Amino acid sequence: MWSGTIGAHPDSAGYRRRADWVFTNRRGGVSQGEFESLNLAAHVGDDDSVVAENRQQLGEMLGSPPASLAFIDAEHGHNVYRITEHSLQPEGKCDGLVTKSADIALVALAADCTPIVLADTKNAVVGVVHCGWRGVVAGIVPATIEAMLDLGAECASMAAIIGPAICQDCYQVDSECADQLMAVVPDSAHRHSDGRWYADVSGAACGLLERAGIGVTRIEECTYTNPDLYSYRRDGRTGRQGAAIVLRSMSVAP
Ligand SMILES: [Zn+2]
């Protein structure tokens, strides 16, 4: 897994805010067989009680377990939901979640698609994105940025981390997909010497974030070639890794 912290901004009330994030791999957890072993998805055929235990482990991986976890139920569109203490789960299918509430982890699940966590700890807003090529075309990246701006975030104080996803050397697509991607981000598909088209979804997401003026860090790990990561294209029936971020608010020691 990969984990870290964004920001530590003091506010006027004497609190310091940070965002803790994690990208999981297959290690840990209790799933068996093709889901071995930290599968976080309930919709793929794994045992529900096993997934619940794995999700509890995800909470622990965030430093301290958050009060609750909110999961994206992806549809490759541009729906973004706001999570609050009064609305702890998204109201429907979506590919982005945002919140201003501390101690609620936002989680995206993926197995080749690109997961992104975002934080503006100065303005106390965090977000998470699930983004495949359809999501790039549908506009999920700018839609999530917009939802964060609506909550008071500023692009100049936002940081984004792009997690493990299928890389541009492994992700063969048809020419129609390549055309649609390149219409959004010109450099996001390439034709190799074999005549086939390959898509760079993480590169496209990175381009969209940078276009908005957001600083981006990339975890350049390919789900398709790394056996420690779930890959739908490689394995078909398989689990999902998670990308999670939680806003923390701590009183500053006197
Ligand atoms: Zn690859």
Side-chain angles (χ1 to χ4, degrees), residues 39-177:
N39 167 46
L40 296 168
H43 64 280
V44 294
D46 199 355
D47 190 295
D48 281 351
S49 63
V50 164
V51 173
E53 190 171 340
N54 292 345
R55 288 180 168 193
Q56 198 170 335
Q57 285 195 17
L58 169 64
E60 288 156 14
M61 288 173 166
L62 281 160
S64 63
S68 63
L69 302 158
F71 288 83
I72 284 178
D73 183 9
E75 61 171 357
H76 299 276
H78 61 248
N79 270 352
V80 182
Y81 282 112
R82 179 183 179 182
I83 298 298
T84 70
E85 291 88 342
H86 309 292
S87 179
L88 288 169
Q89 295 299 325
E91 293 154 42
K93 286 189 177 286
C94 64
D95 291 273
L97 294 176
V98 297
T99 191
K100 274 190 81 65
S101 302
D103 214 28
I104 301 174
L106 308 180
V107 189
L109 303 175
D112 290 336
C113 281
T114 299
I116 309 166
V117 297
L118 298 127
D120 174 352
T121 53
K122 181 183 159 204
N123 294 299
V125 185
V126 296
V128 70
V129 180
H130 164 271
C131 181
W133 77 265
R134 289 179 200 280
V136 170
V137 173
I140 187 60
V141 174
T144 308
I145 295 169
E146 197 62 38
M148 290 180 70
L149 298 183
D150 285 347
L151 294 182
E154 301 162 274
C155 288
S157 50
M158 276 164 68
I161 305 169
I162 297 178
I166 192 166
C167 84
Q168 59 178 325
D169 295 326
C170 297
Y171 194 32
Q172 193 205 323
V173 296
D174 59 33
S175 62
E176 194 190 326
C177 160

